[in-house]
Amino acid sequence: YISKLREFVKHEAEKNKSQWKTMGPAKVAVPSPNDFLQKRSKEPKLAPKKKEQDGEKLLPLSVPQRTYRPVIHIKKNFVNKNAVAVITGQPKKPRHFCVDTRQGDKYLLEPSGLVPKYIKKKNYGVIPKYVTRRNEEMKREEEEYQASVLEQLKKKAMKMLSDEERTNILKALKKNWEEVNHAFQGLPVLTDTRYKKMHKEELELKLKQLEHDIAAIEKHKSVYIAN
């Protein structure tokens, strides 16, 4: 038995094959023995220099030109020069050092940060501009607030106490507090009856109220009362 597709299968099997697919081409040109690698043959070569033609390069003149000025070397007396520089110069100031170990390790004191240079500034101790501006704004806002409060109080017919009246009221409140406190200190130690307990509680309430009123008046400089 011979298959009808034998030639087709053989053609498909040899379709993608070639002689040099894995092993390289079948025949390669062999290099000639005369073309061997020579020493320094791969280094870049510079272009050959062009020869100067006759008449292009001028010969140097033996006579100097009019604009030529010879360099005159003046002998200097460096000993006298150094002596004058030392006499007229300012003496060097001693540099301050800071020693931080007993072995004598030292470093310059000025750039170390230990010298208070900030007190030598021109603006040292001067209030910054933004603080002054902020204080002025706060003062203006406080004046505007006081003006608005006064206007509202005038509308509500409120009266502001003067300094003398405020002082008198404070003195009277403190005097009342002293009297109530004296009475409170005179209470018996044992409060076994109902009357004693009620009296003690009444004195404590009066003391708390007086302390509250005194603190409120001392805290606020301006006190307003209704007519």
Side-chain angles (χ1 to χ4, degrees):
Y1 171 77
I2 299 173
S3 175
K4 295 180 181 181
L5 303 176
R6 182 179 179 181
E7 297 295 333
F8 177 75
V9 173
K10 187 177 180 181
H11 175 70
E12 288 293 331
E14 297 178 355
K15 185 177 180 180
N16 296 325
K17 290 185 178 180
S18 59
Q19 295 180 357
W20 55 84
K21 189 166 185 180
T22 57
M23 301 299 294
K27 294 182 180 180
V28 181
V30 181
S32 175
N34 297 327
D35 298 335
F36 59 87
L37 186 63
Q38 298 180 0
K39 186 178 181 181
R40 302 183 185 276
S41 61
K42 292 188 177 182
E43 291 183 358
K45 296 181 180 179
L46 300 176
K49 295 183 178 180
K50 295 181 180 180
K51 295 182 178 180
E52 297 179 356
Q53 298 178 2
D54 298 337
E56 290 185 358
K57 188 175 181 182
L58 299 176
L59 296 175
L61 299 176
S62 59
V63 180
Q65 299 179 0
R66 291 184 178 182
T67 58
Y68 174 72
R69 294 290 182 271
V71 179
I72 301 173
H73 296 281
I74 301 173
K75 293 184 179 181
K76 295 182 181 180
N77 192 346
F78 292 100
V79 176
N80 293 340
K81 182 180 178 182
N82 293 338
V84 171
V86 172
I87 293 170
T88 58
Q90 294 292 336
K92 290 184 178 180
K93 296 182 179 179
R95 306 178 73 182
H96 299 280
F97 290 92
C98 179
V99 181
D100 56 351
T101 60
R102 58 184 180 180
Q103 283 79 15
D105 297 335
K106 61 183 180 179
Y107 54 88
L108 288 175
L109 185 62
E110 187 174 356
S112 65
L114 300 175
V115 181
K117 289 186 177 181
Y118 59 90
I119 61 174
K120 299 179 182 179
K121 294 182 178 179
K122 294 181 180 180
N123 56 351
Y124 175 74
V126 180
I127 300 175
K129 293 182 180 179
Y130 72 93
V131 176
T132 307
R133 185 169 60 253
R134 180 60 181 165
N135 291 339
E136 293 177 355
E137 292 177 358
M138 291 175 64
K139 186 177 180 181
R140 186 173 63 255
E141 290 176 0
E142 183 68 21
E143 292 176 355
E144 292 176 356
Y145 174 74
Q146 291 293 340
S148 61
V149 170
L150 287 175
E151 187 176 356
Q152 291 179 2
L153 292 175
K154 287 179 181 178
K155 291 180 181 178
K156 296 179 181 179
M158 300 290 286
K159 178 185 176 184
M160 185 178 72
L161 292 178
S162 61
D163 294 339
E164 186 178 356
E165 292 175 347
R166 179 172 170 273
T167 306
N168 294 335
I169 292 173
L170 271 176
K171 288 181 180 179
L173 289 173
K174 289 180 180 179
K175 185 177 180 181
N176 291 341
W177 183 86
E178 290 177 358
E179 293 176 356
V180 176
N181 187 39
H182 181 71
F184 181 78
Q185 296 293 335
L187 289 175
V189 178
L190 183 62
T191 55
D192 51 352
T193 62
R194 186 176 179 182
Y195 172 76
K196 291 181 181 179
K197 292 181 180 179
M198 292 176 62
H199 186 53
K200 183 179 180 182
E201 292 176 357
E202 183 180 358
L203 292 177
E204 288 177 350
L205 288 175
K206 286 184 179 180
L207 285 173
K208 288 182 180 180
Q209 185 63 36
L210 288 170
E211 289 173 357
H212 175 73
D213 295 342
I214 292 170
I217 294 176
E218 287 180 346
K219 183 179 179 181
H220 301 88
K221 295 182 179 180
S222 302
V223 181
Y224 300 90
I225 58 174
N227 292 332

